[in-house]
Amino acid sequence: MREPAEEPYWNTNVARHPGILRSVPEGCRDALDVGCGDGLLARKLAGRAKRVTGIDKSPDMIACAREAAAGDPQLTFVEGDFLTAELGCAEYDFVCSVTTIHHMDYEAALVRMRELLRPGGTLVVVGLAREASVTERAALIVAAPIVRITKVLRRAHGPQGMPVADPQMSYGQVRAAARRLLSGVRYRRHVLRRYSLTWEKPAR
């Protein structure tokens, strides 16, 4: 296993990386990072999986990811739309996605991630949603000072050119759809304006 490198930057997406890495199953052969951006998480996954594929729609992000990988044979980066791209490996032991799924058709993306997992594999999705209910808005108000202070103290920033989009689905809608499509999924709301889904595909 590789020694973890020093973080080149920190933001509220990178804050979720340790939990994602802890979810990688033992003996992971193939991992897929959906919306890999500059490949930071994919490079970390290479310490826990034999082969890692990152896919992203942005040509600039994929170029950055390939440059940072420096020809590492464990890492493959694919430029394309996750919903339609042909991926070299038909099944993965681990699939993850960080703050990307709201850029796509949410249900179609979850279904494809589910289908790409090998039986017994693990899926982790970290996402953004909008506050729609009174409870969700109250949670935002309570968390806002913590988020601002944490970002200032950690000097939050990320790679230049990262595509951004506002989430259209509420936290409630995200949770309901995930529970319908992924039986037994674990949903969690995080302080730094993120939610996570963790799901293990039933073994055959």
Side-chain angles (χ1 to χ4, degrees):
M1 185 178 292
R2 298 180 183 179
E3 291 298 321
E6 184 179 348
E7 297 282 15
Y9 55 85
W10 184 93
N11 55 37
T12 48
N13 293 329
V14 176
R16 301 262 57 89
H17 287 184
I20 294 169
L21 294 171
R22 286 194 296 271
S23 297
V24 178
E26 290 291 332
C28 181
R29 291 166 291 175
D30 295 283
L32 175 67
D33 182 10
V34 179
C36 64
D38 67 347
L40 178 59
L41 178 56
R43 295 193 299 275
K44 295 177 182 179
L45 287 168
R48 296 174 181 257
K50 188 174 180 180
R51 294 174 294 270
V52 180
T53 299
I55 180 168
D56 201 288
K57 202 171 182 179
S58 166
D60 291 341
M61 290 294 101
I62 287 295
C64 289
R66 287 172 176 162
E67 182 179 359
D72 188 330
Q74 277 185 271
L75 292 162
T76 300
F77 291 102
V78 177
E79 179 191 331
D81 185 337
F82 169 66
L83 296 179
T84 58
E86 289 194 18
L87 297 168
C89 178
E91 293 186 317
Y92 296 87
D93 301 296
F94 185 72
V95 176
C96 64
S97 180
V98 181
T99 322
T100 298
I101 198 167
H102 69 284
H103 289 257
M104 300 182 280
D105 181 308
Y106 177 80
E107 294 197 9
L110 273 190
V111 168
R112 185 156 203 223
M113 292 178 197
R114 182 185 70 192
E115 291 175 347
L116 286 170
L117 271 181
R118 287 190 177 108
T122 300
L123 169 65
V124 178
V125 174
V126 173
L128 282 171
R130 63 181 180 84
E131 291 78 12
S133 68
V134 173
T135 302
E136 290 169 352
R137 293 192 188 103
L140 171 64
I141 292 169
V142 171
I146 299 171
V147 174
R148 284 196 298 270
I149 291 168
T150 302
K151 285 183 174 181
V152 170
L153 292 176
R154 296 298 301 268
R155 299 178 181 176
H157 69 284
Q160 295 293 321
M162 185 75 78
V164 296
D166 292 325
Q168 300 302 308
M169 296 177 69
S170 70
Y171 287 95
Q173 290 171 327
V174 162
R175 183 175 61 249
R179 287 175 174 171
R180 176 164 46 81
L181 295 171
L182 305 172
S183 178
V185 68
R186 297 192 298 278
Y187 169 90
R188 185 179 174 190
R189 177 81 180 270
H190 300 282
V191 173
L192 298 178
R193 296 204 70 195
R194 298 290 184 273
Y195 68 82
S196 63
L197 308 173
T198 305
W199 181 70
E200 294 178 7
K201 188 170 186 175
R204 287 197 182 108

